[in-house]
Amino acid sequence: MAEVLVYVDHVDGAVRKPTLELLTLARRVGEPVALALGAGAAETASVLAEHGAVKVLTADAPEFADYLVVPKVDALQAAVEAVSPVAVLVPSSAEGKEIAARLAVRIGSGIVTDAVDLEAGEQGPVATQSAFAASFTTKSRVTRGVPVITVKPNSAPVEAAPAAGVVETLPVGFSAQATGTKVLSRTPRESTGRPELTEAAIVVSGGRGVNGAENFAIIEALADSLGAAVGASRAAVDAGWYPHSNQVGQTGKSVSPQLYIASGISGAIQHRAGMQTSKTIVAINKDAEAPIFDLVDYGVVGDLFQVVPQLTDEVNTRKA
Amino acid sequence: MSLRIVVCVKYVPDATGDRHFADDLTLDREDVDGLLSELDEYAVEQALQIADGADDAEITVLTVGPEDARDALRKALSMGADRAVHVEDDDLHGTDVIGTSLVLARAIEKAGYDLVISGMASTDGTMGVVPALLAERLGVPQVTLLSEVSVEGGVVRGRRDGDSASEQLEASLPAVVSVTDQSGEARYPSFKGIMAAKKKPVESWDLEDLEIEADEVGLAGAWSAVDSAAQRPARSAGTIVKDEGEGGRQLAEFLAGQKFI
């Protein structure tokens, strides 16, 4: 059976959920061969094997951490040459997309980014994408070379599918460009203990109506009751109430959780662009005319300072 | 020595308008107003600030697009860029991102550069891969997704805020930089700037000027294809309740019914 190369996103050997989702999609197209790079690469093998990787290629070198992006492109190119895959799948993180794009040019292939679904087609893998603030759904293909496709988080279920997961070390020669951009320092983001925004099954977001950084505690309390990530609209971020890393929307992150709860967010097109593909949408807003209510499965017209704490209490009571 | 900065900008359909696909599954530009991609305004702003800090600098704004795309160049010129290059050719219709990066890279080389700056992504396609593609094609370092950027003594430094970490980066010029919307508010063009922009040169180049064959770009030359585009069905009207003191509990009931609690 044809092999599909899957680029592994991991933190010191802990594989991130979007990569496991990629393995589910990869199995629809062929046999997944995973590529894990950097510190802890070999430790990813067991979990990758449990989710369908027939082979795990690993490579570690100081270059992967000390320089930006290009060493990883060199490794992915080496893997493509070693495996001759029918497709290359990469998680749609900011870095993942950059790696995929550079690889595509190098190997003379087209690229499709931000797929939300993938299926086998007669002329190769067919990717589903969302366009124009998720108002359109498109089906796209790569028409030249080895299809390089990046896939957004929450695009497929994580499924166990035990496979051999044979570990092999991949020899990588670095290109002249590999050491072009030096990483002088790296400060890990402080963990909030909450799920990562783009990966979370539930996202609770606050906007202008939250009316102050201190009031985001109300949003966080609801998020914690549901085991959710916290998001913020651009208005809330620009006002300095919440970090930019949590911004949902056109200029922030796009999320597609099972449940999205918007509190005090009117629903401008720029925000909708980042959350419209959420499976279930709930909104709480004082303004009955707010455009967000056009999108909701359930909406409460009311004061979020009344509704949100009451909801949080009720969730906690039901879970107790 | 003069610092040559090329800022890549894109003319995009206004997101508040009604955007559609044309019959050939490219963007329908007939019924929608365009503008300079908001995320590219940050790139112009950072170029202006870097130029202010340099002994001598020249900022060229570059775009690839139809005739209307000149509006995006005018906006950037009125903010303070020195000159503009418009790559326009009928054969470019339907060019995908791989082809666009080829056209931009050739135009950047023809214009001459020490530093290329762009926004983090366009606000229409939102792929966010053009800066990396340009670095690959030009064979120079990529210093991308910066929320802070500075250039001094032929070296560019910046801060990249990623999902799991914040990184300080450094590369020697020439280099390709992209900046996020956190890099600093973009200035509004002044009346003086708008008047001055009318006198600034806008060069127009076509594929021949860039030594690119028609079949390397356009719909037929694209490396990927859109097979279908369907408007998402309108969401069926949801339940909307007015809070009469029980709104939170009613919402909890809904969430429990959907198995979220």
Side-chain angles (χ1 to χ4, degrees):
Chain A
M1 197 177 176
E3 290 174 320
V4 181
L5 193 57
V6 173
Y7 182 86
V8 176
D9 188 4
H10 71 98
V11 180
D12 295 329
V15 179
R16 296 180 68 174
K17 186 164 150 265
T19 298
L20 301 179
E21 296 167 6
L22 273 193
L23 289 169
T24 300
L25 294 174
R27 293 200 303 276
R28 298 182 190 165
V29 190
E31 284 190 323
V33 173
L35 172 67
L37 303 176
E43 291 154 40
T44 62
S46 60
V47 67
L48 295 170
E50 283 166 31
H51 294 87
V54 297
K55 196 190 287 181
V56 179
L57 302 174
T58 66
D60 191 13
E63 281 84 351
F64 295 124
D66 294 349
Y67 300 93
L68 192 72
V69 174
V70 186
K72 294 170 179 170
V73 182
D74 291 340
L76 190 51
Q77 184 180 13
V80 169
E81 285 160 8
V83 173
S84 301
V86 291
V88 180
L89 306 184
V90 182
S92 271
S93 61
E95 185 185 50
K97 290 203 282 189
E98 292 184 334
I99 292 169
R102 297 189 70 139
L103 175 79
V105 164
R106 280 203 197 171
I107 64 174
S109 293
I111 182 170
V112 169
T113 60
D114 294 321
V116 295
D117 202 0
L118 191 71
E119 60 203 325
E122 280 176 19
Q123 297 162 288
V126 177
T128 305
Q129 294 167 288
S130 284
F132 302 151
S135 58
F136 277 81
T137 300
T138 61
K139 302 259 189 196
S140 303
R141 277 178 302 119
V142 168
T143 51
R144 293 201 227 176
V146 181
V148 178
I149 299 170
T150 79
V151 181
K152 287 175 79 166
N154 287 319
S155 295
V158 173
E159 289 168 0
V166 182
V167 182
E168 283 180 19
T169 306
L170 177 76
V172 179
F174 292 110
S175 64
Q177 273 80 45
T179 54
T181 308
K182 199 170 171 34
V183 179
L184 299 176
S185 69
R186 180 176 288 117
T187 313
R189 193 173 291 287
E190 248 175 74
S191 172
T192 58
R194 298 189 183 95
E196 216 279 312
L197 184 59
T198 55
E199 299 173 15
I202 302 178
V203 174
V204 178
S205 284
R208 199 186 299 275
V210 175
N211 202 23
E214 65 285 359
N215 297 336
F216 256 86
I218 298 173
I219 304 297
E220 290 178 333
L222 175 58
D224 291 342
S225 75
L226 291 163
V230 176
S233 73
R234 180 162 179 181
V237 169
D238 282 352
W241 302 340
Y242 222 68
H244 178 252
S245 52
N246 295 69
Q247 184 179 318
V248 172
Q250 193 169 44
T251 60
K253 287 183 174 150
S254 108
V255 299
S256 192
Q258 297 297 319
L259 171 63
Y260 188 84
I261 303 181
S263 308
I265 293 176
S266 65
I269 182 78
Q270 288 82 359
H271 187 74
R272 279 151 53 183
M275 48 66 74
Q276 201 158 348
T277 54
S278 304
K279 310 295 179 294
T280 298
I281 298 174
V282 167
I284 301 151
N285 202 304
K286 276 198 294 201
D287 177 10
E289 304 298 318
I292 192 89
F293 285 122
D294 295 341
L295 298 180
V296 298
D297 298 282
Y298 197 95
V300 179
V301 179
D303 182 353
L304 74 91
F305 294 100
Q306 304 294 327
V307 177
V308 172
Q310 189 181 71
L311 171 61
T312 306
D313 285 347
E314 190 67 20
V315 174
N316 287 329
T317 306
R318 284 171 186 252
K319 283 169 95 175
Chain B
M1 209 179 85
S2 175
L3 179 69
R4 297 166 301 167
I5 305 173
V6 176
V7 185
C8 298
V9 301
K10 190 174 181 187
Y11 180 75
V12 298
D14 186 346
T16 58
D18 201 7
R19 294 173 292 177
H20 281 91
F21 286 94
D23 290 343
D24 64 357
L25 299 179
T26 63
L27 170 69
D28 184 352
R29 293 181 183 268
E30 292 298 315
D31 300 324
V32 61
D33 291 332
L35 73 174
L36 170 62
S37 174
E38 185 203 327
L39 290 168
D40 293 340
E41 292 184 14
Y42 297 95
V44 176
E45 177 62 38
Q46 289 308 311
L48 292 166
Q49 291 190 19
I50 289 166
D52 282 346
D55 294 337
D56 180 22
E58 183 188 54
I59 302 173
T60 303
V61 281
L62 164 67
T63 199
V64 178
E67 193 184 344
D68 293 351
R70 207 163 273 244
D71 292 352
L73 296 176
R74 286 279 168 221
K75 173 82 184 276
L77 290 173
S78 65
M79 287 172 73
D82 299 300
R83 66 172 186 135
V85 172
H86 182 195
V87 181
E88 184 186 10
D89 197 307
D90 288 345
D91 288 326
L92 284 167
H93 175 76
T95 303
D96 70 356
V97 71
I98 299 282
T100 299
S101 70
L102 172 69
V103 176
L104 283 170
R106 289 278 174 85
I108 289 164
E109 282 174 329
K110 184 174 161 73
Y113 72 103
D114 301 296
L115 182 63
V116 177
I117 309 183
S118 80
M120 60 188 274
S122 68
T123 55
D124 57 347
T126 64
M127 292 177 77
V129 297
V130 165
L133 287 170
L134 290 178
E136 180 69 36
R137 287 196 182 276
L138 295 168
V140 302
Q142 72 166 80
V143 197
T144 48
L145 296 170
L146 303 182
S147 44
E148 270 175 23
V149 59
S150 64
V151 174
E152 207 184 323
V155 174
V156 54
R157 293 187 184 84
R159 192 181 85 234
R160 172 174 166 120
D161 293 322
D163 284 345
S164 55
S166 179
E167 294 165 327
Q168 291 290 341
L169 305 176
E170 178 184 285
S172 296
L173 299 184
V176 173
V177 161
S178 75
V179 297
T180 73
D181 58 335
Q182 299 300 295
S183 56
E185 275 302 304
R187 68 194 65 184
Y188 288 104
S190 62
F191 178 71
K192 201 175 139 206
I194 293 167
M195 295 313 289
K198 293 183 196 293
K199 296 190 186 115
K200 291 176 179 172
V202 179
E203 283 179 68
S204 187
W205 295 346
D206 60 14
L207 288 175
E208 204 181 327
D209 293 322
L210 301 177
E211 294 172 26
I212 295 172
E213 298 294 327
D215 61 4
E216 292 180 80
V217 293
L219 255 189
W223 299 69
S224 56
V226 179
D227 286 338
S228 69
Q231 193 147 17
R232 264 170 86 89
R235 281 184 171 262
S236 51
T239 307
I240 295 180
V241 300
K242 191 169 182 335
D243 179 34
E244 310 272 5
E246 290 295 310
R249 273 185 278 275
Q250 287 168 287
L251 182 47
E253 190 62 36
F254 169 79
L255 295 179
Q258 302 284 317
K259 308 265 187 276
F260 287 118
I261 308 176

